Amino acid sequence: MTEPNVTPRSPWQPDADITTHAGSPLTIDADFFTSPPVAIGEVISAATTLPKSTQPMPDATRWAIIGGGGVGLAIIFQLLFSNPLVALSIGGLGAATAWFFTRFHYNCSYVGTKGLVKYSLAGSRSAMPKENILLFADAHSLYTSTTRNYYNGIYTGTSYSYRWSKNSGSQHAITGTHRGENNAPKEHDQWHFANVAESAWTSHLLQTLDDQLAEHGYIEFPLTVGLQAVRVGQGFLEFVTKKDGPQRVRREDMRDILLGSGTFQFKHQDARWWSGKGKFSFDYGNIPNARIFLICLKELTDIYWD
């Protein structure tokens, strides 16, 4: 049987100053099986899960492990419990677990000044990698959220979501969970990929802010829930509501400015506890480009949190 004509790919060779998404030096054994596209600009960081020394497991060996593991567990549980249904279920679970851990499936990813990309390689080294790319020019907003989860007071993990809204109407998402709680997750967690991508995205947007400020006198952040938008200008904020339109509040007229449990709260000095007037709040996850919002608050209104 003739082998398919597969053009070999030249692995990417990183420059000496390129680090992983977590900021660590790249290892000599790191195999970047596909080069980053020119369209994402200058590479800022890169990561791969494929070592150069790793090869796919031979099919015969792999299926022997899958079949042997499944059958072996089924026999053991049948002898222990004399229940064929339980034995078959456990055997199937064992076979599925063996299939997952013996598969050849690896990723490499890049963050550049103009975009980000992730490649998945499955089956063999000669397979065509699957590409998942986002060019910053094709997107307009990034929504981020992070939630620490607890059960009966015990930490169970942190879920995170980074979702870019594209000009086409679709989304580009990086989501997952980690167990870092108050610390950064482990080196290979894709949270680091999302975090560096957000920084690159923020740098990309910062280049447009001066033009927006000169044209409108403020930077606008449309909201998905509650308020229609929040605008940040030199020394003031405007809260745009459906009912009353824009309500401008000068920095010196604000009494309470809070950011807690993922919620921004702003109160006018004349606001009363029994009235909703002069009180504005919205969730961090509902405001687009939240890092830009924080930068604008600090630079334009001197509002910031340490």
Side-chain angles (χ1 to χ4, degrees), residues 3 12 127 163 270:
E3 292 293 328
W12 180 65
R163 298 182 183 275
D270 295 332

Side-chain angles (χ1 to χ4, degrees), residues 202-239:
T202 299
S203 297
H204 167 77
L205 288 186
L206 282 173
Q207 301 174 29
T208 68
L209 294 189
D210 287 341
D211 291 340
Q212 292 185 47
L213 196 60
E215 181 177 357
H216 303 290
Y218 53 75
I219 309 298
E220 183 171 282
F221 298 86
L223 293 171
T224 57
V225 178
L227 294 169
Q228 288 188 314
V230 178
R231 297 167 178 170
V232 185
Q234 190 66 55
F236 70 87
L237 278 82
E238 279 189 356
F239 302 93

Side-chain angles (χ1 to χ4, degrees), residues 8-54:
R9 294 181 301 273
S10 298
W12 180 65
Q13 299 297 329
D15 294 336
D17 60 338
I18 301 297
T19 67
T20 68
H21 303 314
S24 302
L26 297 174
T27 62
I28 298 176
D29 196 37
D31 190 341
F32 291 92
F33 51 85
T34 297
S35 298
V38 175
I40 70 167
E42 182 181 351
V43 174
I44 299 171
S45 62
T48 180
T49 60
L50 178 62
K52 293 178 180 178
S53 56
T54 298

Side-chain angles (χ1 to χ4, degrees), residues 103-123:
R103 64 180 182 156
F104 186 86
H105 190 278
Y106 296 90
N107 303 307
C108 72
S109 55
Y110 306 94
V111 175
T113 55
K114 297 181 179 179
L116 57 127
V117 64
K118 182 177 181 179
Y119 292 101
S120 300
L121 183 67

Side-chain angles (χ1 to χ4, degrees), residues 147-183:
T147 304
R148 294 185 183 92
N149 301 302
Y150 295 86
Y151 181 77
N152 290 336
I154 299 174
Y155 174 71
T156 59
T158 299
S159 56
Y160 57 88
S161 173
Y162 292 71
R163 298 182 183 275
W164 282 264
S165 295
K166 301 175 68 175
N167 301 328
S168 62
S170 61
Q171 288 190 336
H172 184 98
I174 304 175
T175 61
T177 59
H178 66 74
R179 297 189 61 82
E181 193 170 10
N182 297 319
N183 301 310

